[in-house]
Amino acid sequence: MKSLIIGCALAAAFAAGSTSIAQGFPSKPVTLVVPFAAGGPTDTLARIMSEPMRQALGQILVVDNTTGAGGTIATGRVARAAPDGYTLVIGHWGTHVVNGAYYTSLKFDLLNDFAPVAMIASNPQLIVSHLSVPAKNLKELIPFIRRNQKDVLIGTGGVGGASHMAGIYFLNRIGAKLQFVPYRGGAPAMQALVSGEIALYVTQVSSAVGFTRANRVRAYAVTAPNRQEAAPEIPTVDEAGLPGLHTAVWHGIWAPRATPKDIVIKLNSAVVETLSDKPTRARFADLGQEIPAREQQTPEALYAHQKAEIEKWWPLIRAAGLKAE
């Protein structure tokens, strides 16, 4: 009985301490770790959010670029950080899904060593081709690819990247195999498509829509269930004839595992307030970033989405034999 009383007292004291910590949070600047270099898409989103989040939290949000190893250095740093809410990471589909299968020696668990805060944006992809490809729509493109598997080249922005994974997923769905040509990033891959060096590319809406509108490449479908605000004229894969081929580079924010729930709730509230800010929403829209519906901005929704994505992509990555050397 005595031990039970002591145990209950300790639990109550811990709960009270957690609430006390949360009530005083944040009392100093919060660091948002970006796993990539300044100026990239993830860094841009972080910097757009920094000022409205500062207002929501009442503290400065410091954007800290920690690069290397496909984002694993930054995510590892946050996984090992004190679970006090002062060190967060903004990551995406690559850092928090793909890397778990691609980097086989990770010292942390992408799903269980982080406390999800909120999903912040999603950027589906476009299936695009060089203008010399005779197919005018997706239903014509699929048989064209099947007939010309030895001759058609498909580009990627790098081995294991979003364009590579989406390309593999697309080809698996239509039962075709093409030679992938990797480039040092999305911009060189897009230029290779425009010049005719490659015939096909699957890339983010934000990266391709300017080229499609300028009639420099041909767009076939967006890999999302709904048409995108940034490109409403382009049909979805469901409309174009390949239902369910849904891929997107989505972003979220995570804290270290064991961060007190009350602190996670405060952080989530600040993110939700930021995503409702009209200037922020406008800037996201300009980048082709779709802000998730309010019910999808919860920690639970981010966890569920990340788990589903891991279950979808890890078998495909492993079957393709992709791994970091």
Side-chain angles (χ1 to χ4, degrees), residues 36-57:
F36 305 104
T42 305
D43 177 74
T44 299
L45 294 180
R47 293 181 189 278
I48 289 172
M49 296 182 69
S50 62
E51 176 56 24
M53 278 194 71
R54 180 196 67 76
Q55 296 179 24
L57 290 170

Side-chain angles (χ1 to χ4, degrees), residues 253-268:
I253 293 177
W254 290 261
R257 183 182 65 178
T259 299
K261 184 176 181 180
D262 288 346
I263 288 180
V264 171
I265 290 172
K266 279 198 170 186
L267 290 167
N268 175 264

Side-chain angles (χ1 to χ4, degrees), residues 8-255:
C8 291
L10 287 172
F14 177 81
S18 175
T19 301
S20 176
I21 291 171
Q23 286 176 346
F25 176 85
S27 60
K28 61 182 181 180
V30 175
T31 296
L32 181 61
V33 178
V34 177
F36 305 104
T42 305
D43 177 74
T44 299
L45 294 180
R47 293 181 189 278
I48 289 172
M49 296 182 69
S50 62
E51 176 56 24
M53 278 194 71
R54 180 196 67 76
Q55 296 179 24
L57 290 170
Q59 285 288 344
I60 294 172
L61 187 75
V62 179
V63 177
D64 185 342
N65 299 89
T66 301
T67 63
T72 62
I73 293 175
T75 48
R77 170 188 166 189
V78 176
R80 295 186 296 270
D84 54 12
Y86 288 101
T87 306
L88 312 174
V89 63
I90 177 172
H92 59 44
W93 171 82
T95 60
H96 281 73
V97 175
V98 172
N99 282 357
Y102 187 61
Y103 290 90
T104 56
S105 60
L106 287 185
K107 303 300 183 184
F108 51 90
D109 187 302
L110 286 173
L111 189 62
N112 298 310
D113 283 345
F114 296 89
V117 175
M119 185 185 294
I120 60 173
S122 181
N123 194 343
Q125 292 164 287
L126 285 179
I127 301 169
V128 291
S129 80
H130 185 258
L131 294 176
S132 64
V133 173
K136 304 303 182 187
N137 55 56
L138 191 61
K139 288 184 178 179
E140 293 179 2
L141 180 65
I142 292 171
F144 169 80
I145 292 173
R146 289 171 177 161
R147 291 194 305 267
N148 296 278
Q149 295 184 58
K150 293 182 179 180
D151 302 315
V152 174
L153 300 178
I154 183 170
T156 80
V159 176
S163 58
H164 192 185
M165 293 295 99
I168 290 173
Y169 189 38
F170 171 52
L171 294 176
N172 282 356
R173 281 289 306 273
I174 68 174
K177 291 185 178 181
L178 300 179
Q179 181 179 336
F180 282 92
V181 181
Y183 293 87
R184 292 181 177 274
M190 180 57 74
Q191 289 301 324
L193 184 71
V194 171
S195 69
E197 190 173 302
I198 54 176
L200 292 174
Y201 188 34
V202 184
T203 188
Q204 295 179 60
V205 171
S206 58
S207 300
V209 68
F211 292 90
T212 65
R213 287 179 177 163
N215 197 36
R216 300 182 70 189
V217 301
R218 180 177 293 115
Y220 294 95
V222 60
T223 61
N226 303 305
R227 293 200 181 203
Q228 300 300 292
E229 184 177 344
E233 71 280 7
I234 301 174
T236 70
V237 284
D238 302 75
E239 295 170 325
L242 200 58
L245 186 82
H246 300 154
T247 66
V249 179
W250 49 268
H251 279 82
I253 293 177
W254 290 261

